Amino acid sequence: MSRPGPAAEGGATCGGYHGAVWRERSRKDPASSTDLSVCAVPNTVRRAGLRSVNAPSGQYRGLDSGAVYICTEDSFPIRRLQQLIRNQSFLRSDVPPPLISSLQFSDHVYVEHAADLDSLQVCLSRRVPLLLARGLVRLLVVDSLAALFRSEFQAADWLERTKQLITFSSTLRHLSLEFTTPVLCINQVTDVFSSDDSLSQSSSSMSPALGLVWANQVMVRLMMRRLQATVTHGDQSSALRRLEVVLAPHLAQGGRDLAVWREGVRGVRSS
């Protein structure tokens, strides 16, 4: 595993088991909608989670630990993470600036690249448990399962695909429960179109890329949608987003508007 090093500012903004989360990203427009289990938010949520787990415990509500980030598609978003770290003091005004400056957030983020299911299985069965057992990490992010299952299985291989999905689900569930660690799994969504004969129009809805097999493996599922409105904050502007609870045993259904800024994600009060 590797650790992200320093980088210049830039980059795009960005159901779980015991807190496992998956985010489904629209293939047509990655920023338009995100369906997650536990925590589905644009890319920032993943990076914000990395920072939160690094924060001091106690009154500052952090875990004072590290995180594992497994990439299967794109390279790790180092520049965006560094931007979030540099702007941490604007997001966490409750934490003394000297304390924030003393924290080396990126030193506690372990990055692994898995190009196929075999390498992902090796990572989850050998490397991740070692870091968890040593207390070096308290958050696991997999970005994403859908990419690997879509590339390695054809439609006729549905039975083997189902078996593999359940196997990985069991592995993640075991890690989450044994080490009391939240698992965030990024998924994708696809558009499902239906024709409305009365209006002679077609409407579309989002469907999880991995289907009901994966959807039934999670306990918490959130949906993030990008709305048409735009909000401003100082010299920044952001598309308004809506985070909704789709499924959660401990949360009531509802939602909250939010926006993505240089320092991270903030809630937005409805006007």
Side-chain angles (χ1 to χ4, degrees), residues 32-136:
S32 64
S33 154
T34 299
D35 185 293
L36 327 161
S37 306
V38 174
C39 200
V41 194
N43 307 326
T44 302
V45 166
R46 294 174 283 175
R47 268 92 82 175
L50 300 183
R51 292 175 302 137
S52 298
V53 77
N54 288 163
S57 57
Q59 68 181 99
Y60 302 119
R61 306 185 306 280
L63 295 179
D64 198 16
S65 186
V68 179
Y69 193 107
I70 303 175
C71 306
T72 66
E73 295 183 82
D74 303 325
S75 59
F76 181 78
I78 296 177
R79 285 190 280 184
R80 174 56 176 158
L81 177 61
Q82 292 296 329
Q83 183 184 51
L84 290 167
I85 292 173
R86 284 192 294 273
N87 289 275
Q88 181 72 179
S89 59
F90 296 101
L91 185 67
R92 295 298 305 272
S93 57
D94 59 313
V95 181
L99 179 56
I100 291 180
S101 301
S102 67
L103 298 175
Q104 301 298 321
F105 289 96
S106 59
D107 287 351
H108 302 283
V109 178
Y110 300 84
V111 180
E112 176 77 12
H113 294 272
D116 52 52
L117 289 175
D118 289 338
S119 58
L120 178 59
Q121 180 62 40
V122 170
C123 180
L124 293 177
S125 61
R126 300 179 185 177
R127 302 173 185 174
V128 172
L130 184 61
L131 292 172
L132 290 170
R134 293 179 176 177
L136 297 176

Side-chain angles (χ1 to χ4, degrees), residues 128-151:
V128 172
L130 184 61
L131 292 172
L132 290 170
R134 293 179 176 177
L136 297 176
V137 298
R138 291 288 304 279
L139 172 67
L140 171 60
V141 180
V142 182
D143 183 14
S144 67
L145 280 178
L148 297 182
F149 279 91
R150 278 181 159 176
S151 62

Side-chain angles (χ1 to χ4, degrees), residues 172-239:
L172 295 174
R173 187 188 302 274
H174 171 74
L175 292 173
S176 179
L177 294 177
E178 180 177 358
F179 298 102
T180 318
T181 299
V183 178
L184 170 63
C185 293
I186 314 304
N187 194 6
Q188 297 173 341
V189 291
T190 55
D191 288 317
V192 179
F193 291 90
S194 61
S195 178
D196 188 340
D197 296 333
S198 62
L199 299 177
S200 299
Q201 293 180 343
S202 294
S203 59
S204 65
S205 60
M206 296 297 175
S207 176
L210 295 179
L212 291 176
V213 174
W214 178 251
N216 288 330
Q217 304 303 310
V218 300
M219 291 176 59
V220 179
R221 179 181 176 188
L222 309 180
M223 169 70 79
M224 168 72 71
R225 298 182 182 276
R226 181 170 180 172
L227 308 178
Q228 297 296 322
T230 300
V231 292
T232 59
H233 172 61
D235 61 344
Q236 303 180 66
S237 63
S238 170

